[in-house]
């Protein structure tokens, strides 16, 4: 595939409300939009700065600027290019994700296929949760009601700052909103092993589907202990960035489930490498997101369609933003759908991208 040109545009869009989790609070979501041109078509991706891979908008711009030199005018094969860049820029995972996603959108458009068809995937609507940040109990209940009314079938509740208040918030959703809706929780590394085990025990009667990352990244013995002793499945998120981490976690039986995020694993190529590990071990996964705009969420939805081991989706960051820069990623009857057209199945609204452009130079 001959790449003629690569462009990148940093954008900033505010959320409707400050999003608070155990590791911090954010109002604005920054992304770098990536546009690649080749063989008469255009592919889109985006990279999202985040604290898990320790990337900023400035570092992403710098990395993509370096990749631009390596890709323009070249005839590339995506996986080869990906491996070359992982070696050259090992710390720029989200930046590479943005380029990798744009390349898959382009490749699929050139071949007249939808992205999941490049991996023998099967079309389906993707049930996504809606996430509720850390907030007081009454507001938590109000948000849970609102999201159920909008048709969401699962809620992910952020916890991790106050064990007993967390339990009261979750119990309030069960008692006041719904005894049956799927409820997932994410502690974002907020607990010690002792607290996490106490939490698991106390949540037993609330029918929680899984608990995400209760333990600090780096404490893998702790993660394994909680996973082995908890009756509620434990999902690793911050502890697994790429297929090598997935292999270590699966081999050592450190978690029951894995959260695949394209910003951590450097895009669709890295996501597929994780899926291969999970299929080998028979471990299931979720596709998750950072503060992303739609192209990378659509890419994660396509990845979901390529493997039966991906059972859950937490693809909701775009719902939190005041405006969207795309069309075609529809939420209907509790499910997300990409359009039946080649590529990622979305359209990028370039006037909106321009409207939210940030004036920022690479670091
Ligand atoms: Mg998480």
């Amino acid at each position: 595939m001959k790449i003629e040109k690569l462009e990148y545009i940093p954008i900033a869009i505010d959320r409707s409300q400050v999003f608070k989790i155990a590791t911090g609070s954010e109002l604005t979501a920054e992304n770098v939009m990536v546009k690649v041109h080749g063989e008469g078509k255009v592919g889109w991706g985006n990279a999202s700065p985040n604290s898990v891979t320790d990337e900023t908008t400035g570092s992403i711009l710098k990395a993509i600027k370096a990749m631009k030199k390596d890709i323009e005018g070249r005839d590339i094969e995506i996986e080869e290019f990906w491996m070359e860049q992982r070696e050259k820029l090992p710390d720029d995972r989200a930046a590479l994700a943005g380029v990798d996603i744009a390349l898959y959108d382009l490749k699929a458009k050139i071949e007249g296929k939808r992205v999941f068809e490049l991996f023998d995937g099967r079309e389906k609507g993707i049930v996504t949760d809606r996430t509720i940040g850390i907030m007081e109990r009454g507001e938590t209940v109000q948000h849970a009601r609102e999201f159920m009314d909008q048709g969401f079938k699962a809620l992910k509740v952020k916890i991790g700052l106050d064990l007993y208040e967390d339990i009261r918030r979750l119990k309030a959703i069960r008692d006041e909103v719904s005894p049956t809706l799927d409820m997932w929780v994410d502690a974002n590394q907020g607990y010690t092993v002792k607290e996490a085990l106490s939490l698991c025990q106390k949540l037993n009667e609330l029918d929680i589907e899984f608990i995400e990352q209760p333990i600090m990244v780096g404490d893998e013995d702790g993660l394994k202990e909680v996973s082995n002793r908890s009756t509620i499945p434990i999902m690793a998120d911050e502890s697994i960035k790429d297929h090598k981490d997935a292999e270590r976690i699966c081999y050592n039986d450190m978690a029951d489930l894995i959260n695949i995020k394209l910003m951590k694993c450097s895009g669709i190529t890295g996501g597929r490498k994780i899926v291969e590990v999970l299929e080998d071990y028979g471990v299931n996964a979720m596709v998750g997101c950072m503060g992303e705009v739609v192209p990378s969420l659509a890419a994660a939805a396509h990845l979901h369609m390529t493997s039966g081991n991906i059972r859950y989706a937490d693809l909701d960051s775009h719902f939190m933003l005041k405006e969207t820069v795309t069309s075609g990623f529809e939420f209907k009857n509790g499910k997300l759908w990409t359009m039946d057209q080649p590529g990622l199945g979305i359209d990028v609204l370039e006037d909106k991208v321009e409207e939210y452009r940030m004036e920022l130079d690479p670091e």
Side-chain angles (χ1 to χ4, degrees):
M1 184 165 68
K2 182 87 185 281
I3 306 300
E4 281 134 33
K5 193 171 157 197
L6 182 151
E7 298 174 75
Y8 47 88
I9 308 147
I11 60 169
I13 306 178
D14 281 349
R15 295 181 174 87
S16 316
Q17 187 178 27
V18 170
F19 185 51
K20 182 177 175 189
I21 66 171
T23 47
S25 301
E26 277 182 345
L27 174 65
T28 305
E30 295 184 2
N31 277 263
V32 178
M33 301 295 291
V34 181
K35 187 180 182 186
V36 286
H37 304 250
E39 304 187 24
K41 308 275 185 198
V42 168
W44 283 95
N46 59 285
S48 179
N50 66 87
S51 59
V52 178
T53 65
D54 202 17
E55 287 170 85
T56 62
T57 305
S59 76
I60 289 172
L61 289 173
K62 186 180 173 189
I64 297 178
K65 193 177 173 190
M67 285 183 237
K68 179 179 165 79
K69 289 202 190 87
D70 278 348
I71 202 169
E72 285 186 344
R74 251 178 81 186
D75 200 351
I76 63 141
E77 193 277 315
I78 298 177
E79 192 170 344
E80 259 171 41
F81 174 78
W82 185 91
M83 288 197 285
E84 172 195 301
Q85 296 300 323
R86 280 290 298 138
E87 214 152 277
K88 282 176 94 163
L89 301 165
D91 299 326
D92 299 284
R93 294 163 184 268
L96 181 54
V99 174
D100 178 85
I101 291 164
L103 289 172
Y104 271 109
D105 187 33
L106 179 66
K107 179 183 162 82
K109 282 173 178 165
I110 290 169
E111 293 185 17
K113 290 179 177 167
R114 300 172 74 182
V115 169
F116 68 84
E117 291 174 328
L118 298 172
F119 306 96
D120 292 328
R122 191 170 59 85
E123 189 191 16
K124 60 182 175 186
I126 308 288
V127 174
T128 182
D129 67 337
R130 274 271 347 227
T131 304
I132 298 179
I134 295 178
M135 55 185 72
E136 60 116 27
R137 216 181 311 163
E139 211 185 343
T140 301
V141 166
Q142 192 190 325
H143 274 77
R145 271 204 197 105
E146 204 178 293
F147 295 152
M148 283 207 74
D149 289 346
Q150 290 167 5
F152 290 92
K153 311 265 186 261
L155 290 181
K156 178 164 121 174
V157 184
K158 292 287 193 180
I159 60 169
L161 289 181
D162 179 338
L163 181 68
Y164 289 95
E165 184 53 25
D166 288 343
I167 294 161
R168 286 192 285 268
R169 287 171 65 223
L170 294 165
K171 193 166 179 331
I173 295 177
R174 270 284 173 255
D175 291 348
E176 297 172 40
V177 183
S178 166
T180 54
L181 99 139
D182 280 354
M183 202 146 71
W184 316 342
V185 301
D186 186 357
N188 288 106
Q189 318 175 56
Y191 296 124
T192 61
V193 170
K194 200 173 153 210
E195 286 169 336
L197 287 169
S198 164
L199 174 84
C200 295
Q201 202 181 23
K202 290 183 169 63
L203 292 186
N204 258 332
E205 62 184 46
L206 292 183
D207 190 20
I208 302 294
E209 186 85 7
F210 58 78
I211 300 171
E212 219 179 299
Q213 195 72 38
I215 301 297
M216 278 302 281
V217 62
D219 183 4
E220 299 197 334
D221 292 338
L223 182 65
K224 180 173 172 144
E225 185 181 348
V226 176
S227 297
N228 291 353
R229 291 174 63 188
S230 166
T231 51
I232 302 171
I234 301 296
M235 178 182 285
D237 178 6
E238 287 90 332
S239 292
I240 179 256
K241 293 192 183 73
D242 56 25
H243 63 288
K244 290 178 185 158
D245 295 332
E247 174 78 38
R248 190 180 66 257
I249 285 172
C250 291
Y251 181 81
N252 293 305
D253 191 21
M254 287 190 278
D256 306 294
L257 297 160
I258 296 286
N259 188 344
I260 304 173
K261 289 181 180 166
L262 297 189
M263 293 302 134
K264 296 187 296 184
C265 67
S266 310
I268 295 172
T269 304
R272 282 296 310 164
K273 287 181 184 294
I274 296 175
V275 165
E276 283 167 19
V277 172
L278 301 183
E279 288 177 350
D280 272 359
Y281 282 92
V283 170
N284 290 332
M286 173 165 89
V287 278
C289 61
M290 310 282 194
E292 295 161 41
V293 288
V294 164
S296 59
L297 301 175
H302 280 270
L303 181 69
H304 193 308
M305 290 184 247
T306 71
S307 175
N309 287 59
I310 303 180
R311 295 287 173 88
Y312 307 100
D314 170 28
L315 300 177
D316 66 342
S317 52
H318 61 311
F319 294 122
M320 298 183 197
L321 304 180
K322 282 187 173 167
E323 195 157 24
T324 178
V325 294
T326 57
S327 64
F329 193 49
E330 298 294 333
F331 178 72
K332 276 181 289 193
N333 305 322
K335 291 178 179 174
L336 288 167
W337 299 88
T338 59
M339 288 191 289
D340 183 8
Q341 64 181 41
L344 291 170
I346 55 162
D347 289 324
V348 171
L349 309 169
E350 298 205 42
D351 53 333
K352 288 287 167 199
V353 173
E354 281 307 317
E355 194 181 327
Y356 290 98
R357 179 194 279 266
M358 296 164 78
E359 291 312 321
L360 192 68
D361 292 323
E363 266 173 16

